[in-house]
Amino acid sequence: MRILGIESSCDDTGIAIYDSERGILADALYSQLSHQKYGGVVPELASRDHIQKVIPLISAVLEAAQLKSEDIDGIAYTKGPGLAGALMVGATIAQGLGFAWKIPTIGVHHLEGHLLAPMLAEPAPSFPFLALLISGGHTQIISVRTLGDYEILGESLDDAVGEAFDKTAKLLGLPYPGGPHLEKLAQNGNAKKFQFPRPLLHREDLNFSFSGLKTHVANVIHKTELSDENKADIAAQFEETIADILCKKMHRALLQTGISRLVVAGGVSANLTLRKALSALAEKEECHIYFPPLKYCTDNGAMIAYAGAQRLMRDEKSDFSIQVRPRWPLSELKAPEKSA
Ligand code: AMP
Ligand code: MG
């Protein structure tokens, strides 16, 4: 089965073709630049950019995979959560093409896409596993029993990890989105010069809080001469603090659930310092750890094509009504009725 995937939930237009026998055949990504001067995503600009890019990118991936529209068996698009207007662009084009090509379509939950993205790497994790989802909008520890059966065990009470990276990067004068820039800056830093607080670590639960960390960094920056050296040292301590918090909570989650497979997904899972710290934890606890391929960590069409394929192969499909769910709790998802 060959599935075309369309991701348009935020500021990345991602298109890919997934083949259930051969894996990803082609993919393309356009990361919108129009938001940079505003320091955050402007919803109206996002929708306008998606409208311009979706069809040319579909045409480009078909060509790259040397396929024609007749070779596609189904279309998966991001139905939510995300920006309403941006989601509408992907949903409208997916339903229009599905209707015209007479093939089924499926609306995919964006976070299910992220959760399953590690399955695009070798070796792929099998169910059940414990997932740490760290993205621009989410920080969650999830027990993944099987496709569509997810239980959120803990989450951030305020900012998401990606948001904390982006806000701290902004304080350090780095461009948006700041996560990758902060990682680069931290490489030359001394992580021990500053010491930042680790909120909620004393609590037994699996929740996180990152907004106090950002305020702490703002205060440090206010009191410190912002030389290149100090900036790098602040970035390094920031990364170490995040790694510490995530590792402590994941350690607790592993002990509480007894699950021995760990999956890390979402844009922040591209961060190599975090990958190293979480891999060390997994080794110590004798767990297997899985990450998505680097290019499928942040938003992309491949994870949507893959997640949609899993559901389409189990005979799930949408009618051709154009529906999006800008707010859509992951816990509302259901396992498909039929097995593959
Ligand atoms: P997503 O919401 O899954 O598309 O992920 C986007 C978020 O991931 C943004 O907040 C980025 O700053 C963050 N991000 C991407 N790459 C890195 C990295 N290497 N280190 C830290 N954060 C990152
Ligand atoms: Mg995302």
Side-chain angles (χ1 to χ4, degrees), residues 267-338:
V268 187
S269 68
N271 185 283
L272 296 180
T273 305
L274 295 185
R275 282 189 175 217
K276 232 159 101 188
L278 289 160
S279 299
L281 168 71
E283 195 178 344
K284 196 165 136 259
E285 294 302 312
E286 298 183 353
C287 292
H288 289 281
I289 188 161
Y290 303 86
F291 298 94
L294 273 180
K295 71 171 179 172
Y296 301 144
C297 286
T298 42
D299 293 347
N300 65 85
M303 67 183 194
I304 300 304
Y306 178 81
Q310 302 316 304
R311 290 185 174 271
L312 285 166
M313 285 192 285
R314 290 164 175 84
D315 287 348
E316 225 186 281
K317 60 182 174 208
S318 70
D319 52 27
F320 288 114
S321 64
I322 294 163
Q323 291 181 28
V324 296
R325 293 213 40 195
R327 289 171 186 276
W328 188 6
L330 187 67
S331 52
E332 280 185 20
L333 282 189
K334 290 196 174 53
E337 278 166 24
K338 206 177 146 237

Side-chain angles (χ1 to χ4, degrees), residues 12 110 114 134-137 161-163 165-166 177-180 183 239 266-272 274 297-299:
D12 292 306
H110 180 81
H114 276 302
I134 40 180
S135 71
V161 178
E163 208 177 340
F165 264 96
D166 294 340
E183 174 172 28
E239 266 193 344
V268 187
S269 68
N271 185 283
L272 296 180
L274 295 185
C297 286
T298 42
D299 293 347

Side-chain angles (χ1 to χ4, degrees), residues 132 139-141 152-159 161 198-210 245-246 248-250 252-253 256:
L132 173 64
T139 306
Q140 294 177 326
I141 299 178
I152 295 168
L153 304 178
E155 61 191 329
S156 177
L157 304 176
D158 40 57
D159 292 353
V161 178
R198 275 100 167 121
L200 302 197
L201 272 200
H202 56 284
R203 282 183 21 182
E204 278 304 305
D205 62 46
L206 300 175
N207 293 327
F208 304 92
S209 167
F210 295 105
I245 296 170
L246 295 179
K248 291 253 164 54
K249 292 281 176 174
M250 282 316 282
R252 205 164 282 165
Q256 282 180 14

Side-chain angles (χ1 to χ4, degrees), residues 4-9 12-16 28 30 32 46-62 75-77 85-94 97:
L4 174 71
I6 303 176
E7 155 63 30
S8 72
S9 66
D12 292 306
T13 316
I15 307 290
Y30 175 72
Q32 302 176 353
S47 315
R48 291 187 200 188
D49 278 0
H50 287 305
I51 286 182
Q52 299 220 339
K53 293 290 173 187
V54 175
I55 291 179
L57 288 184
I58 291 175
S59 166
V61 293
L62 281 170
I75 303 178
Y77 66 93
L87 292 166
M88 284 296 272
V89 176
T92 307
I93 292 175
L97 287 179

Side-chain angles (χ1 to χ4, degrees), residues 130-278:
L130 196 60
L132 173 64
L133 183 65
I134 40 180
S135 71
H138 293 85
T139 306
Q140 294 177 326
I141 299 178
I142 304 165
S143 161
V144 177
R145 292 189 199 99
T146 185
L147 176 71
D149 187 354
Y150 310 125
E151 185 188 354
I152 295 168
L153 304 178
E155 61 191 329
S156 177
L157 304 176
D158 40 57
D159 292 353
V161 178
E163 208 177 340
F165 264 96
D166 294 340
K167 287 179 176 172
T168 303
K170 193 172 176 186
L171 291 169
L172 292 169
L174 299 170
Y176 180 88
H181 298 284
L182 191 147
E183 174 172 28
K184 208 160 157 231
L185 181 63
Q187 279 165 4
N188 304 317
N190 166 12
K192 306 297 174 201
K193 183 145 106 210
F194 297 93
Q195 182 66 24
F196 298 161
R198 275 100 167 121
L200 302 197
L201 272 200
H202 56 284
R203 282 183 21 182
E204 278 304 305
D205 62 46
L206 300 175
N207 293 327
F208 304 92
S209 167
F210 295 105
S211 66
L213 180 57
K214 173 202 63 201
T215 311
H216 184 86
V217 177
N219 288 336
V220 170
I221 288 176
H222 193 65
K223 285 190 244 152
T224 317
E225 183 224 337
L226 218 48
S227 62
D228 287 348
E229 189 185 322
N230 278 340
K231 278 192 201 173
D233 296 345
I234 289 170
Q237 167 61 203
F238 175 83
E239 266 193 344
E240 193 175 281
T241 305
I242 297 279
D244 229 20
I245 296 170
L246 295 179
C247 283
K248 291 253 164 54
K249 292 281 176 174
M250 282 316 282
H251 187 199
R252 205 164 282 165
L254 288 170
L255 296 179
Q256 282 180 14
T257 60
I259 300 174
S260 64
R261 267 186 296 268
L262 187 58
V263 158
V264 188
V268 187
S269 68
N271 185 283
L272 296 180
T273 305
L274 295 185
R275 282 189 175 217
K276 232 159 101 188
L278 289 160

